[in-house]
Amino acid sequence: MSTPIVDWEKVGDRFYRKTKLYDAVFEQDIELENYVIAGAPYGGAVGGSWRIYFARPKLLASPPAGTVHSWTVIPPANTLSRNVEILLALEQTIYVVDVSEAEDRVLPNGPFLHISVSPNGRYASLYTEDGMLWVITSDFQNKVGEYESKAKTPPKDVQWCGNDAVVLAWEDEVLLIGPNGAILRYYFDGYVTLLPEVDGIRILTNDVCEFLQKVPDECEDIFKPGSKSPAAVLLDAVTQLEKSSPKADDNIRLIHSSLPNAVAACIKAAGQEFSLHWQKQLLSAASFGKSILDLYSSDDFVDMCETIRILNAARDYRVGLPLSFDQYRRLTSGKLIQRLLNRHEYLLAIRISDFLRLPKHKVYVHWAAQKVRNSSDNEDTICQMIVAKLSNQPGISFEAIARAAYDEGRSSLATQLLDRESRAGKQVPLLLLMEEDGMALNKALESGDTDLIFFVLLHLKRKLPLASFFRLLADRPVATALVESSARNQDTELLKDLYYQDDRRLDGANILFSESLNQTTPQTKVDKLKLAVNCVSDGKDSGSTLYLKSCAEAQALIRVQSSIDQDLEVDYTGLSLNETLLRLIQAGHTKRAFKIQSDFKVPEKTWWWLRLRGLVTKRDWGELEEVGKQKKSPIGWEPFFNDILGAGNPKLASTFVAKCTGLTARERSEMWVKCGMVGRAGEELSKAKDSSGLEELKSKVSREQGVEIERMIANLKLRR
């Protein structure tokens, strides 16, 4: 087979090659000159249309009015601002337009009929009206080179070929201009379209699609005429080995010290070649070289073999993705698989995924979604086919397939597929979109995810009439409980409606009762209580009866408090019954308090406690002394002793010691001691003939007091 250099052409001190990718690209009756041809980067699809202009999706700054001769887009990755920018040839100069401003770069020698930016964004080419090609830095600070085309007609297109050369295209002619003005011409049989790539340019006609690029350094180093590089010698050694020539050994000995570098260069060059023959030859050379080395990692060799197999499969005319090695490295395997999916090349996508040990679930999901869109079978058959194919595949998102079915108007199929989705978080949003409200709520409840349940409930509350919303909750106690707990703190009106819908009258009345406590005026309090009464007025059970009684008492209390407010000009409204009584006693309105106690049938014990606390707080010792003259106390007399003593009146407190008949002599003795009456404490113990108590008391008191206690002890001994 002929060497690769037959397709090479020298441009200055470098070589360029034009590789035929495909032939018979378009039908002969298609006139490409009548179309605007665009090609996706990285060997992507080619599309053509009539000249239809769409509004820009993002509004940029407005340039001055004038004739626009040409323009091009600089992608965000190649701008300092990391925002999209436009180079606009306006009148005699160039404007740089972004979202904030349109800046005039004040270039002479316009107008510029063509503008193009290099793939790396560092340079821009400008073609002037008088046939001059300028190459400048993209910041417009330096002119790198210029070329005078001397063409009578301007080119149809000007594009970059990699980052080192510019291509001018007329209808059937292509002119490549390299560094220092070196040129290369090609002629074609039909109208030419240029499709730039990061490492070259695709040239498209009706008959052929070719790839023009600078020869990669690895390939040039091996194949250029007269090359003596180690990699070239290694490749020749393999050729001699196939001929069983002893020259193979001579070549290996010649490059033995550089053999690792030669192997690496052959591996890299194999990836850069489009020819299957030379791929194999270069890989054979690398394999032969590494077999001679004692220590050599085969990782790079294995990786390149995998990459070449993938590239050759993608380049096949039935697939039509003519990726170069550099393009594939930038595109990545994941995006290549996505492009194959877009072309419905599912088998190849699965094989590449298996080959690279990548997950395949996206491939299967895309296939299933496409099956849903295009199949004419009935929905049950489609569902069974998809489930049978995907049920054992890990990571399958049935939600994505169901969404495709729903978008196609196949709601029943979408529901069946969605039922196969194991993640409730994926199921629920689509079910809500499909208006399968009950099913969405059920799936959320089954998941046990409180956040997801609240999400569904909030969505349904906003969407549905209140009655419909409550009907959904009717047989779902967990959902009802969550709505109830949330509404209790955030939406009491919703809570009242919920209780009314569920006929939970007592719960609804409790809300109104609580609201009445928070009202600031007596009338609004009474109004709320009346509403609470209305909620349970028809109830015949004991709970309703008790509730009605409580509400009636609450209303009565509010009326009493209102009357007190008016009479005493003090705010009693809002206090509880006990607080009302306590404040009246403290204010000296004992008779009024006694009447309220009687009207509201406050228990005696409660009344006596309130009366004690109120009088002690008021320090009404006289009234307390009068109370102490009574024979009995419902709460006992000890509380009187403790509270009065605590209030700082031991003398009055001591009058209650003798009344504490339920206590032991020692306990009463301690009460006397607390009042500072040691003698009375001793007498209490003497009456009880408690000599050990007297001895203990003696040890706690002063010497003078101890003399009297000692006398009591002696008398007690004589009595014995």
Side-chain angles (χ1 to χ4, degrees):
M1 186 173 181
S2 59
T3 63
I5 64 173
V6 296
D7 295 323
W8 293 12
E9 298 286 351
K10 194 164 186 179
V11 181
D13 59 350
R14 296 306 305 266
F15 289 94
Y16 279 76
R17 68 183 181 185
K18 183 162 62 72
T19 304
K20 184 177 179 180
L21 302 175
Y22 308 110
D23 52 19
V25 180
F26 293 107
E27 298 293 338
Q28 291 299 320
D29 58 350
I30 296 178
E31 298 177 350
L32 295 183
E33 60 268 27
N34 294 328
Y35 293 83
V36 176
I37 307 296
Y42 306 112
V46 176
S49 70
W50 297 100
R51 293 184 179 272
I52 302 174
Y53 295 94
F54 297 93
R56 290 176 294 179
K58 186 174 184 179
L59 185 64
L60 302 180
S62 298
T67 302
V68 176
H69 300 283
S70 61
W71 61 281
T72 191
V73 177
I74 306 178
N78 292 336
T79 64
L80 292 175
S81 64
R82 289 297 181 259
N83 292 315
V84 66
E85 293 181 359
I86 303 292
L87 294 185
L88 192 65
L90 186 65
E91 297 294 349
Q92 302 296 315
T93 184
I94 299 287
Y95 279 84
V96 179
V97 184
D98 58 18
V99 293
S100 59
E101 64 177 344
E103 180 185 1
D104 184 0
R105 302 316 298 256
V106 195
L107 287 185
N109 301 329
F112 300 100
L113 304 184
H114 293 282
I115 308 175
S116 181
V117 178
S118 64
N120 60 14
R122 295 179 181 177
Y123 306 103
S125 64
L126 309 174
Y127 190 87
T128 68
E129 192 175 42
D130 55 5
M132 292 294 296
L133 177 72
W134 287 11
V135 177
I136 62 174
T137 56
S138 57
D139 59 3
F140 296 87
Q141 298 300 312
N142 299 297
K143 183 168 68 172
V144 179
E146 63 179 43
Y147 174 80
E148 184 178 1
S149 69
K150 299 180 181 179
K152 295 181 179 180
T153 59
K156 302 296 183 183
D157 197 6
V158 175
Q159 298 291 347
W160 282 82
C161 179
N163 294 300
D164 299 308
V166 177
V167 175
L168 281 63
W170 286 265
E171 290 189 358
D172 57 357
E173 179 185 353
V174 167
L175 176 65
L176 182 142
I177 305 170
N180 301 319
I183 64 170
L184 175 64
R185 293 183 186 274
Y186 292 101
Y187 295 94
F188 295 84
D189 294 333
Y191 187 86
V192 173
T193 297
L194 303 179
L195 303 176
E197 295 285 359
V198 294
D199 57 344
I201 192 166
R202 279 186 285 168
I203 303 175
L204 187 68
T205 70
N206 284 70
D207 300 320
V208 69
C209 178
E210 296 180 316
F211 183 54
L212 177 61
Q213 69 171 154
K214 185 179 71 174
V215 174
D217 293 340
E218 298 85 1
C219 297
E220 182 176 341
D221 186 52
I222 294 173
F223 293 114
K224 70 181 178 181
S227 174
K228 299 296 183 181
S229 70
V233 174
L234 177 59
L235 180 61
D236 182 64
V238 171
T239 304
Q240 300 301 325
L241 184 65
E242 292 173 349
K243 298 177 181 179
S244 301
S245 170
K247 190 178 178 181
D249 290 334
D250 295 338
N251 285 350
I252 293 300
R253 282 194 293 271
L254 183 66
I255 62 170
H256 190 273
S257 61
S258 303
L259 193 55
N261 293 335
V263 171
C266 287
I267 292 173
K268 293 177 181 178
Q272 299 289 355
E273 286 295 328
F274 283 78
S275 166
L276 297 180
H277 170 79
W278 288 110
Q279 289 173 357
K280 292 178 181 178
Q281 287 298 106
L282 289 164
L283 290 175
S284 295
S287 178
F288 176 53
K290 72 184 183 66
S291 68
I292 299 171
L293 295 170
D294 295 331
L295 295 174
Y296 186 83
S297 173
S298 298
D299 291 348
D300 291 341
F301 181 83
V302 173
D303 290 344
M304 184 58 74
C305 289
E306 291 181 350
T307 299
I308 289 175
R309 289 187 63 182
I310 293 170
L311 288 174
N312 289 338
R315 291 168 182 167
D316 187 278
Y317 74 94
R318 290 164 293 188
V319 179
L321 282 170
L323 286 167
S324 68
F325 176 78
D326 291 335
Q327 292 169 23
Y328 173 71
R329 187 173 57 184
R330 290 168 180 260
L331 182 65
T332 72
S333 57
K335 291 182 180 178
L336 171 60
I337 291 173
Q338 184 59 52
R339 288 196 172 188
L340 292 173
L341 297 184
N342 294 338
R343 298 181 179 208
H344 303 165
E345 296 287 349
Y346 299 113
L347 180 58
L348 180 56
I350 289 174
R351 287 178 175 173
I352 291 177
S353 298
D354 285 335
F355 192 57
L356 297 178
R357 296 167 292 280
L358 298 174
K360 297 175 289 185
H361 59 274
K362 290 184 179 180
V363 180
Y364 286 111
V365 168
H366 197 284
W367 166 82
Q370 201 61 33
K371 181 68 68 176
V372 164
R373 295 186 183 101
N374 297 334
S375 178
S376 59
D377 294 331
N378 64 63
E379 297 189 352
D380 290 339
T381 302
I382 297 173
C383 183
Q384 292 171 6
M385 181 192 311
I386 292 174
V387 171
K389 189 78 172 178
L390 306 186
S391 57
N392 295 325
Q393 297 296 332
I396 297 298
S397 172
F398 279 93
E399 179 268 341
I401 308 171
R403 188 176 292 274
Y406 177 71
D407 291 341
E408 292 297 313
R410 295 183 163 187
S411 299
S412 176
L413 176 59
T415 303
Q416 294 180 61
L417 291 169
L418 202 56
D419 197 46
R420 297 279 180 172
E421 176 60 59
S422 59
R423 295 164 294 183
K426 293 284 188 179
Q427 290 176 310
V428 167
L430 183 55
L431 286 170
L432 292 175
L433 181 64
M434 295 166 57
E435 298 189 349
E436 295 287 349
D437 300 333
M439 187 179 295
L441 184 54
N442 288 339
K443 293 295 183 182
L445 291 169
E446 290 170 8
S447 73
D449 186 339
T450 306
D451 291 339
L452 184 61
I453 299 172
F454 271 124
F455 168 76
V456 176
L457 291 172
L458 183 61
H459 175 85
L460 296 179
K461 178 180 175 293
R462 290 172 176 171
K463 168 190 169 185
L464 299 175
L466 208 53
S468 301
F469 177 63
F470 288 144
R471 277 196 295 273
L472 272 178
L473 301 180
D475 55 349
R476 297 175 174 88
V478 173
T480 303
L482 288 174
V483 171
E484 186 175 350
S485 64
S486 176
R488 184 172 289 111
N489 297 323
Q490 301 177 18
D491 192 348
T492 54
E493 292 301 318
L494 175 64
L495 194 58
K496 284 186 280 189
D497 290 334
L498 174 63
Y499 290 154
Y500 179 80
Q501 185 75 18
D502 288 351
D503 199 27
R504 294 165 60 181
R505 303 187 175 204
L506 197 57
D507 290 329
N510 282 334
I511 296 178
L512 292 165
F513 193 93
S514 298
E515 289 179 348
S516 74
L517 299 178
N518 296 325
Q519 301 302 308
T520 57
T521 64
Q523 186 57 49
T524 54
K525 287 179 178 291
V526 170
D527 291 342
K528 288 288 184 180
L529 288 172
K530 287 180 179 179
L531 292 174
V533 169
N534 291 337
C535 287
V536 295
S537 58
D538 296 335
K540 304 298 182 183
D541 57 288
S542 58
S544 297
T545 302
L546 181 60
Y547 195 88
L548 288 171
K549 180 181 178 183
S550 299
C551 287
E553 290 178 350
Q555 293 181 62
L557 177 60
I558 291 173
R559 287 192 292 270
V560 169
Q561 290 174 336
S562 179
S563 175
I564 296 173
D565 292 348
Q566 293 176 359
D567 294 344
L568 303 181
E569 297 182 353
V570 179
D571 188 10
Y572 278 74
T573 301
L575 299 177
S576 67
L577 177 59
N578 287 352
E579 289 173 334
T580 301
L581 292 172
L582 182 61
R583 285 187 59 178
L584 285 171
I585 295 170
Q586 291 172 344
H589 304 290
T590 305
K591 290 183 178 180
R592 195 160 194 167
F594 185 78
K595 184 178 186 308
I596 294 174
Q597 180 261 337
S598 176
D599 292 343
F600 285 86
K601 297 181 174 56
V602 177
E604 281 294 311
K605 284 189 176 182
T606 302
W607 167 247
W608 274 71
W609 273 110
L610 293 171
R611 192 178 180 191
L612 169 61
R613 295 289 164 79
L615 293 174
V616 169
T617 303
K618 186 186 174 186
R619 301 297 195 267
D620 193 344
W621 309 126
E623 184 65 22
L624 284 168
E625 188 175 356
E626 290 298 321
V627 173
K629 294 178 180 179
Q630 299 186 34
K631 293 183 178 181
K632 293 183 179 180
S633 165
I635 61 173
W637 297 106
E638 294 90 345
F640 283 84
F641 172 83
N642 292 328
D643 284 13
I644 294 172
L645 183 65
N649 193 341
K651 181 177 180 182
L652 180 58
S654 67
T655 62
F656 292 90
V657 175
K659 291 178 171 290
C660 299
T661 56
L663 302 179
T664 64
R666 284 202 179 191
E667 290 172 334
R668 286 194 297 275
S669 173
E670 291 177 1
M671 293 170 72
W672 289 114
V673 171
K674 290 178 181 178
C675 294
M677 300 179 180
V678 176
R680 297 296 300 272
E683 291 174 1
E684 193 73 45
L685 293 171
S686 293
K687 291 178 183 178
K689 299 180 179 179
D690 186 354
S691 57
S692 61
L694 288 170
E695 291 288 351
E696 184 177 344
L697 178 62
K698 177 184 174 183
S699 65
K700 296 179 180 179
V701 300
S702 63
R703 180 177 298 178
E704 292 78 6
Q705 293 171 331
V707 173
E708 184 178 359
I709 300 303
E710 182 63 35
R711 179 181 59 78
M712 293 180 183
I713 293 172
N715 289 338
L716 190 58
K717 289 180 179 180
L718 291 175
R719 292 177 191 170
R720 293 179 181 175

